[in-house]
Amino acid sequence: MSELSTKAENTWCPGCGNFGILNAFKRAVAGLESEGVDRGRLYISAGIGCHAKIFDYLALSGLYSIHGREIATVQGAKLANPNLYVVAFGGDGDVFGEGVSHLLFAAKRNADMTMIVHDNGVYGLTTGQYTPTSRRGFKGPSTPAGSVEDPLDPLTLMLVAGATFVARGYSGKVEQLADLMAKAIKHRGFAFIDVLQPCVTFNDTYKKYNAGTEPAAHDPADFAAAMAAAARRDRLPLGVVYETDKTAFDRELLGEHNPVRDSLPQAGRLERIARVISRS
Ligand SMILES: Cc1ncc(C[n+]2csc(CCOP(=O)(O)OP(=O)(O)O)c2C)c(N)n1
Ligand code: SF4
Ligand SMILES: [Mg+2]
């Protein structure tokens, strides 16, 4: 597991919930490897923000993307090479703000990818502005008198958009989060994990989440029960909220064709192009 680390200096604030997410992901990868999943088949991407530094701290292949576009980036990688397990790390501003249309369409088309949201309810890297998941009344540089908006509900949004695996984790519960990550990566289709992530500098929610979360206790195959669990505000359920089987986008689009396995040498490609041109 240790060789998953890189030499990059870690610049997260001491106590940041991102450390729990990084540790959980390393555990998830170690668990997958023990089940025979080759690390070389993992492909990661990240947006822009404190969350995205996780890309620098993991010795895995991938592409460091731009704000909200990690979702499109991993979908492209998956279509080019369906043998990959692709994982996107995003922030709440990143995914529910800048990248929200990518998110909705990835869920709608059941793209085979894992979306891990570091949901700290704040634009952390740019020093504390409110995001789509900030609570009403949240005070920051852009809302000095307190936000007058209600927060968006990520789980309900994903259930309605068609996600086939929806979960909530907490960076303070690393083992459970690692388990959710491994399940999400193995799920064939769009897997979404909203990770409650305290930002100790601009939105410290440790006390709130330590006291206000509990394990989900409903049947995750039951959509109505999942919607009811997602709507809960008294205590927040942690775990798999919904899971179902549905053919993934790459399979629908490519069928049996595998662009890597079936790739032709250059001469073969040129010949095929010449044939198509001569027919037109
Ligand atoms: C298109 C675009 N808009 C705005 C920015 C500026 N920007 C960089 S990081 C950031 C905040 C990221 O917040 P979030 O996605 O919640 O991640 P966090 O830092 O909280 O992990 C913003 C607004 C940008 N880089 N690109
Ligand atoms: S600003 Fe917040 S999210 Fe960013 S590293 Fe510091 S504690 Fe973590
Ligand atoms: Mg954020």
Side-chain angles (χ1 to χ4, degrees):
M1 188 159 100
S2 60
E3 75 270 28
L4 261 183
S5 304
T6 67
K7 291 190 177 139
E9 182 194 354
N10 193 307
T11 56
W12 285 328
C13 309
C16 174
N18 280 323
F19 286 100
I21 298 179
L22 177 62
N23 289 337
F25 192 73
K26 285 179 175 175
R27 283 188 199 211
V29 173
L32 290 170
E33 284 186 313
S34 71
E35 292 173 27
V37 175
D38 178 4
R39 177 183 303 196
R41 288 176 64 194
L42 282 169
Y43 177 97
I44 61 169
S45 187
I48 300 291
C50 295
H51 67 273
K53 296 178 184 181
I54 199 167
F55 187 90
D56 291 330
Y57 308 147
L58 285 167
L60 291 170
S61 300
L63 183 83
Y64 206 145
S65 195
I66 52 174
H67 228 6
R69 272 51 180 185
E70 68 280 8
I71 308 164
T73 301
V74 298
Q75 287 179 76
K78 178 75 191 181
L79 284 184
N81 183 356
N83 302 331
L84 296 176
Y85 293 96
V86 300
V87 180
F89 295 95
D92 47 314
D94 186 66
V95 168
F96 306 127
E98 287 85 350
V100 71
S101 55
H102 291 293
L103 178 75
L104 293 178
F105 282 93
K108 170 189 173 288
R109 62 172 71 103
N110 197 28
D112 187 18
M113 59 172 282
T114 298
M115 177 79 247
I116 297 173
V117 183
H118 304 220
D119 189 354
N120 54 12
V122 71
Y123 281 117
L125 191 72
T126 46
T127 68
Q129 298 82 5
Y130 84 122
T131 71
T133 59
S134 297
R135 68 181 179 281
R136 181 181 270 271
F138 175 83
K139 287 189 179 164
S142 54
T143 52
S147 163
V148 294
E149 299 175 34
D150 289 321
L152 185 135
D153 169 7
L155 301 185
T156 304
L157 182 72
M158 289 291 86
L159 288 167
V160 171
T164 49
F165 180 103
V166 177
R168 182 193 277 128
Y170 172 33
S171 63
K173 295 205 184 297
V174 172
E175 250 177 67
Q176 185 198 32
L177 182 56
D179 181 55
L180 288 177
M181 288 171 168
K183 283 188 174 129
I185 291 169
K186 285 189 280 187
H187 174 79
R188 186 80 169 97
F190 185 80
F192 173 89
I193 310 177
D194 190 53
V195 186
L196 306 175
Q197 180 243 311
C199 163
V200 289
T201 304
F202 299 112
N203 191 23
D204 190 348
T205 45
Y206 275 116
K207 273 191 195 151
K208 177 180 164 187
Y209 294 144
N210 284 341
T213 53
E214 66 182 25
H218 64 283
D219 174 6
D222 181 339
F223 185 80
M227 287 290 281
R232 278 188 61 185
R233 295 288 172 272
D234 52 337
R235 291 176 72 76
L236 302 175
L238 296 178
V240 180
V241 171
Y242 183 62
E243 183 167 17
T244 192
D245 276 338
K246 188 182 171 190
T247 308
F249 178 65
D250 60 291
R251 182 77 180 183
E252 291 275 14
L253 189 71
L254 301 173
E256 293 299 326
H257 177 63
N258 181 316
V260 174
R261 186 194 60 213
D262 305 335
S263 78
L264 291 171
Q266 192 185 33
R269 285 204 302 278
L270 291 175
E271 195 203 328
R272 189 173 284 183
I273 291 167
R275 252 190 287 140
V276 171
I277 293 172
S278 70
R279 275 207 301 267
S280 59

